């Protein structure tokens, strides 16, 4: 584990050195690619600014709102369509059509219908996140063996109790995978909406910084967005390990 961590840190250090070398040599103009020292200084200034934290709060508010609605809709629908073949077959065409639309391409439609509002941002995040959650829940529900279903029917266990005690625990690993993917996606989509609209948040601050020629500040916001996504992934992995402690390890060497 220590060796792996050292290799990861070495790769990160190599990337930073390469970035600094490219900026120092001038292969790319400083306006397009400021050096890591300039970006670090800009980030230090932003951390002491109230506007920075307000922008982060606006981005996270839209991301969390859309994600929570996606979870509330995606998990139940995924479990039902995963358990009942008729529900899955009847909704398959609609699901395939809806998930095939690039969510950003639908942004002009949402702007016309909902306007440039926080609700519109949360709606776009919801659409981007609901399908990873739904499909993973559906896949997990299908993992329940036919023998288990027959045993449950034989004991005449009520449907809601079967969902809660049999299907949901079996689908939990897949659901956690979907939640991890959706959580990271929610932040990225929230920032993307802010970049393309006038809504406040980190994406809007990135655009303002670029237009003002403050590229180091823009990169500082971009790195902050990356750090938020990485932190969300780590927290989701830790939550998954805690919630699924009952699950047997997938590999012999897994702890």
């Amino acid at each position: 584990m220590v060796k792996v961590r050292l290799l990861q840190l070495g790769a990160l250090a190599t990337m930073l050195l390469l970035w600094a070398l490219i900026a120092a040599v001038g292969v790319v103009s400083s306006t397009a690619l400021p050096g890591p020292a300039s970006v670090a200084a800009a980030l230090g200034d932003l951390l002491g600014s109230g506007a920075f934290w307000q922008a982060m709060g606006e981005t996270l508010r839209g991301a969390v709102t859309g994600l929570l609605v996606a979870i509330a809709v995606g998990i139940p629908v995924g479990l039902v369509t995963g358990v009942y073949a008729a529900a899955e077959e009847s909704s398959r065409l609609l699901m395939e059509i809806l998930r095939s639309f690039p969510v950003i391409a639908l942004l002009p439609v949402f702007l016309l219908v909902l306007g440039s509002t926080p609700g519109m941002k949360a709606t776009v995040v919801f659409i981007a996140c609901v399908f990873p959650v739904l499909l993973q829940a559906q896949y997990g529900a299908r993992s329940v063996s036919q023998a288990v279903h027959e045993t449950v029917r034989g004991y005449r266990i009520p449907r809601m109790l079967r969902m809660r005690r049999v299907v949901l625990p079996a689908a939990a690993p897949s659901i956690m995978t979907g939640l991890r993917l959706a959580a990271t996606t929610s932040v990225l989509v929230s920032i993307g909406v802010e970049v393309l609209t006038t809504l406040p948040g980190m994406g809007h601050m990135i655009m303002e910084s670029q237009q003002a020629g403050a590229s180091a500040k823009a990169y500082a916001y971009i790195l902050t967005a990356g750090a938020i996504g990485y932190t969300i992934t780590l927290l989701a992995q830790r939550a998954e390990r805690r919630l699924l402690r009952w699950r047997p390890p997938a590999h012999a060497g897994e702890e």
Side-chain angles (χ1 to χ4, degrees):
M1 185 62 183
V2 175
K3 183 179 180 181
V4 172
R5 189 64 64 187
L6 289 175
L7 289 173
Q8 292 173 346
L9 292 175
L12 179 60
T14 301
M15 187 196 71
L16 290 175
L17 288 174
L18 182 62
W19 177 12
L21 180 62
I22 293 174
V25 172
V27 177
V28 181
S29 67
S30 59
T31 302
L33 183 65
S38 301
V39 175
L43 180 59
D45 294 337
L46 288 175
L47 291 175
S49 168
F52 172 81
W53 298 106
Q54 183 177 358
M56 183 184 296
E58 291 290 343
T59 296
L60 292 177
R61 186 178 296 112
V64 170
T65 302
L67 177 63
L68 290 177
V69 179
I71 292 171
V73 173
I75 292 178
V77 174
L79 293 178
V80 170
T81 55
V83 171
Y84 300 105
E88 191 275 331
E89 291 172 358
S90 61
S91 62
R92 183 185 303 165
L93 178 61
L94 179 61
M95 294 291 182
E96 291 296 330
I97 292 175
L98 292 177
R99 65 182 291 218
S100 64
F101 284 105
V103 65
I104 297 300
L106 295 174
L107 188 57
V109 177
F110 291 115
L111 282 171
L112 288 173
V113 176
L114 301 175
S116 186
T117 62
M120 184 275 295
K121 178 166 61 175
T123 301
V124 176
V125 172
F126 160 75
I127 293 175
C129 295
V130 69
F131 289 107
V133 176
L134 189 156
L135 294 175
Q136 287 294 325
Q138 187 181 81
Y139 174 79
R142 289 175 181 170
S143 67
V144 181
S145 66
Q146 188 62 32
V148 172
H149 281 302
E150 291 176 358
T151 302
V152 168
R153 282 195 294 267
Y155 282 100
R156 296 185 179 181
I157 296 176
R159 292 183 179 181
M160 290 303 298
L161 184 60
R162 175 174 55 175
M163 279 286 186
R164 201 166 62 246
R165 296 295 187 181
V166 178
V167 178
L168 184 58
S174 294
I175 291 173
M176 291 303 299
T177 299
L179 293 181
R180 188 169 67 246
L181 296 173
T184 305
T185 300
S186 66
V187 176
L188 298 178
V189 172
S190 182
I191 292 174
V193 172
E194 293 162 359
V195 168
L196 298 174
T197 64
T198 58
L199 289 170
M202 295 179 63
H204 186 65
M205 297 303 291
I206 291 172
M207 290 300 298
E208 280 193 348
S209 300
Q210 288 180 334
Q211 292 170 358
S215 57
K217 186 177 177 181
Y219 274 90
Y221 275 108
I222 293 171
L223 290 180
T224 301
I228 292 174
Y230 179 68
T231 302
I232 289 174
T233 300
L234 290 180
L235 292 175
Q237 289 174 346
R238 179 169 297 183
E240 182 176 0
R241 285 194 296 267
R242 287 183 176 272
L243 292 173
L244 303 179
R245 285 177 294 183
W246 52 268
R247 183 181 60 171
H251 304 286
E254 184 180 354
E255 295 182 358

